[in-house]
Amino acid sequence: CKVMQCVTSLLACLCFRHRNRCLYRTPRVCCSICSDTKLKDPFSLAQKDLQNLYEDIKKQLLVSKAELKALCDYYFDGKGKAFRPMIVILMARACNVHSNKEGVLLPAQRSIAMISEMIHTASLVHDDVIDDSDTRRGKNTINQVWGERKAILAGDFILSAASMALARIGNTTVVSVLSQVIEDLVRGEFMQLGSKENENERFKHYLEKTFKKTASLIANSCKAVSILVNSDPEVHEIAYQYGRNVGIAFQLVDDILDFTSSAKRLGKPSAADLKLGLATGPVLFACQQFPELHAMIMRRFSSDGDVDRAWQYVLKSDGVEQTNYLAQHYCQEAIHQISRLRPSTERDALIQLTELVLRRDK
């Protein structure tokens, strides 16, 4: 199909571009992601550096007004996966080892891990207002508890605190790199409000939106910690491309789970994207087998019965399988990138992380 030709060409270009560029010669990574590799769990490996992360974030949000403090602290309850800070910590240590350091984490690198979680959480608060969401991480959203106006202000305040923490790092390049994340988040949200008539343009639009809303934060945070320890632009690009590819794969799997996982497991209603009028990967692939979806996509599933019919079309198609296949390709490119760094426990954990991304069920 035309969409798969477009996606395959994109992935082929990525692989060709980096095929012969390697900073450190390492054994070739097998095409499949091996599940029997005995590596230390990435979350356990980063756990020591992530201790007191949420308490440290709350210190950045120190305010005298009790209600604002409660709003800002609501999602920093220590029950999140800390997925983004974990990647940032592992990337920082992997880059430190690659740069002939002892792998000791720099205070500024840990600060970036903290800032990444603050930016991510602020974006969740704003997203919940835009989407009028009822639940997040298994509990009521901030906008449901305190109202939309206060939720928006809380998200803004978290972003401002993150910006101040970023400024204290004192590296103008790092400030510029992470400022790009906030711009991408806004542009991605605007992209989500629209759709493309042409099917190939529609898929390109979807992947670009996915990068801006999800992967940009991971990619630029990884790049930022590499900048702090290494002046080589190629190392910065490796960190960035790993984060970019893992970030896109993460969102593709998230879009799959919207069709395959129960609301209880996800901590949010299933079919949420369809109800918001969003055509994600599984729907776009399903459209190739069921052209009836095209009209539904253009009207953003707004007619009576659209959501249920679209759901059934996706389940009858190979949309979920094709989206999973695409996520695997992005993970393979992430492995290709990170394998160019000098071997280390953290580098290997980042490789293993790609498998965890593909296997996650919530």
Side-chain angles (χ1 to χ4, degrees), residues 15-38:
C15 292
F16 177 79
R17 187 183 306 164
H18 300 288
R19 185 174 296 159
N20 296 317
R21 296 172 61 204
C22 187
L23 296 185
Y24 186 88
R25 293 196 174 275
T26 188
R28 186 182 176 198
V29 179
C30 63
C31 294
S32 63
I33 300 172
C34 303
S35 60
D36 58 349
T37 305
K38 294 182 179 179

Side-chain angles (χ1 to χ4, degrees), residues 76-97:
F76 298 118
D77 55 5
K79 296 181 181 179
K81 295 183 292 289
F83 178 76
R84 289 152 190 83
M86 181 264 295
I87 291 181
V88 173
I89 292 294
L90 294 177
M91 180 61 73
R93 287 190 174 275
C95 288
N96 293 353
V97 171

Side-chain angles (χ1 to χ4, degrees), residues 5-179:
Q5 289 175 352
C6 176
V7 173
T8 302
S9 297
L10 172 66
L11 292 166
C13 288
L14 283 170
C15 292
F16 177 79
R17 187 183 306 164
H18 300 288
R19 185 174 296 159
N20 296 317
R21 296 172 61 204
C22 187
L23 296 185
Y24 186 88
R25 293 196 174 275
T26 188
R28 186 182 176 198
V29 179
C30 63
C31 294
S32 63
I33 300 172
C34 303
S35 60
D36 58 349
T37 305
K38 294 182 179 179
L39 297 172
K40 190 167 184 180
D41 174 62
F43 289 92
S44 298
L45 190 59
Q47 188 58 45
K48 182 178 179 180
D49 294 317
L50 294 176
Q51 281 183 356
N52 302 318
L53 177 78
Y54 290 107
E55 292 304 315
D56 290 341
I57 288 175
K58 290 177 183 179
K59 291 176 183 177
Q60 302 291 325
L61 301 170
L62 209 53
V63 288
S64 57
K65 187 173 176 59
E67 187 177 35
L68 179 57
K69 177 175 173 52
L71 278 157
C72 293
D73 289 353
Y74 191 66
Y75 287 149
F76 298 118
D77 55 5
K79 296 181 181 179
K81 295 183 292 289
F83 178 76
R84 289 152 190 83
M86 181 264 295
I87 291 181
V88 173
I89 292 294
L90 294 177
M91 180 61 73
R93 287 190 174 275
C95 288
N96 293 353
V97 171
H98 178 81
S99 304
N100 293 318
K101 307 287 183 181
E102 295 181 357
V104 176
L105 191 71
L106 303 176
Q109 290 174 321
R110 188 179 184 278
S111 292
I112 289 174
M114 181 177 67
I115 291 166
S116 71
E117 185 70 356
M118 294 172 73
I119 294 175
H120 171 60
T121 301
S123 73
L124 296 183
V125 175
H126 287 155
D127 280 354
D128 287 342
V129 172
I130 294 169
D131 299 340
D132 194 25
S133 298
D134 296 327
T135 58
R136 167 75 64 181
R137 295 176 179 172
K139 62 182 182 181
N140 291 334
T141 55
I142 289 178
N143 46 293
Q144 285 295 314
V145 178
W146 284 280
E148 291 185 357
R149 292 184 179 182
K150 290 180 179 179
I152 291 170
L153 292 173
D156 290 346
F157 185 79
I158 295 170
L159 273 180
S160 69
S163 299
M164 292 177 66
L166 179 58
R168 283 194 288 271
I169 291 176
N171 186 305
T172 56
T173 305
V174 168
V175 170
S176 177
V177 166
L178 286 180
S179 295

Side-chain angles (χ1 to χ4, degrees), residues 182-196:
I182 299 176
E183 178 183 335
D184 285 343
L185 284 169
V186 175
R187 290 184 181 273
E189 198 63 54
F190 269 97
M191 289 182 72
Q192 188 163 284
L193 296 175
S195 186
K196 296 290 184 181

